[in-house]
Amino acid sequence: MGEQATVAPARRRGLADEVADRVREAIFGGVYAPGAQLREVELSQALDVSRGPVREALLLLEREGLVRSQWHRGATVITLSPQDIAELDSLRGALEHLAVQRVVAHASEEDLVKIDKVVDGMRRAADAHAMVRCDLAFHDAVYDAAHHRRLSEAWQAIRSQIHLFLLTRIGRSSDGYLEHIADEHRLLADALRAGDADAALELFAAHRHHAAQVLAAHDLPPGQGDQGVVGSTAKR
């Protein structure tokens, strides 16, 4: 009998995960705009870590679809192409279709209250970036209310890219975003609470397509913003 196969010892990757969290938050906070370079040396100095965890963190973010690595440029924040935008919109639509149907059929009163609370919190969003976070929190609550584990996992797999999609949207045009987005989500929440699947599906599709239309109407390179360096928060 041959030698029994064994699994290799697991490596601790907590530091790389923490660095990935810091860089991800910097991207979502507008510190690194689409197309911005993410230099290992600068990140390691700012975060007070060696380059190894930074390199691992950038690989994690590349798997999330937030970062692209090229041999002649290094790592950069993804700039969404028209094809990227179309694919994300269509995939998000397919997931939301099932989520809405599941919420109408299976959501509890507690689930619906959680969705309502997210909408109420939107009115306190201080700026467009905060509103984007509220927008995503709303959809998190919807997927939670669907009570479908694999559907929620599929949403989480594209969530970071949808965050980048919404940031690209407000980077192209934020006109009316703060004024109207909370009202749009109130209509979505009310349709779910009413249990009208057809009406809810129509409203969710219109909400989703509106963001895509803004991007199509402002087909210009997104603003680069302040390409700063992440603050020193991670430790060795």
Side-chain angles (χ1 to χ4, degrees):
M1 182 179 294
E3 293 183 4
Q4 184 175 359
T6 59
V7 296
R11 291 187 302 158
R12 294 184 181 276
R13 303 189 67 214
L15 186 55
D17 290 335
E18 184 179 350
V19 171
D21 289 344
R22 299 293 180 264
V23 177
R24 186 188 301 107
E25 285 304 305
I27 293 171
F28 292 159
V31 176
Y32 292 106
Q37 286 192 301
L38 300 169
R39 298 178 177 87
E40 287 183 14
V41 173
E42 292 182 5
L43 289 170
S44 65
Q45 291 174 348
L47 294 168
D48 191 24
V49 297
S50 65
R51 293 177 65 177
V54 172
R55 190 174 300 114
E56 289 186 55
L58 293 177
L59 287 173
L60 291 173
L61 295 176
E62 186 170 11
R63 293 185 194 119
E64 287 183 23
L66 289 181
V67 169
R68 175 176 289 115
S69 295
Q70 297 172 293
W71 71 269
H72 61 292
R73 289 197 65 195
T76 58
V77 181
I78 289 286
T79 298
L80 296 176
S81 68
Q83 181 177 350
D84 293 329
I85 290 167
E87 288 183 0
L88 284 170
D89 180 56
S90 62
L91 180 55
R92 180 184 173 189
L95 297 179
E96 280 188 352
H97 190 94
L98 177 57
V100 168
Q101 291 179 322
R102 295 276 307 181
V103 170
V104 169
H106 301 288
S108 66
E109 175 62 22
E110 182 181 0
D111 294 324
L112 296 173
V113 167
K114 289 179 180 178
I115 293 172
D116 286 335
K117 285 183 177 179
V118 176
V119 177
D120 293 340
M122 286 182 160
R123 309 216 177 263
R124 297 189 293 274
D127 54 34
H129 279 83
M131 186 64 84
V132 165
R133 293 177 187 276
C134 290
D135 194 333
L136 287 161
F138 173 87
H139 293 282
D140 289 341
V142 170
Y143 282 99
D144 287 344
H147 298 288
H148 190 304
R149 180 172 60 83
R150 287 178 172 81
L151 177 61
S152 293
E153 289 172 352
W155 162 246
Q156 288 299 320
I158 65 167
R159 189 183 188 280
S160 288
Q161 295 177 63
I162 296 298
H163 199 151
L164 191 61
F165 175 99
L166 294 175
L167 291 178
T168 302
R169 178 248 192 267
I170 64 172
R172 302 287 175 88
S173 174
S174 59
D175 291 345
Y177 184 71
L178 284 174
E179 293 79 8
H180 303 300
I181 201 72
D183 291 336
E184 284 186 26
H185 283 84
R186 171 47 60 200
L187 291 175
L188 299 179
D190 288 348
L192 292 174
R193 180 172 284 282
D196 188 337
D198 290 338
L201 287 169
E202 184 175 345
L203 287 169
F204 270 80
H207 169 69
R208 190 176 63 254
H209 291 155
H210 181 246
Q213 288 168 357
V214 170
L215 288 170
H218 297 81
D219 192 15
L220 299 169
Q224 295 303 300
D226 297 324
Q227 297 177 15
V229 177
V230 185
S232 179
T233 52
K235 300 299 180 184
R236 293 182 192 275

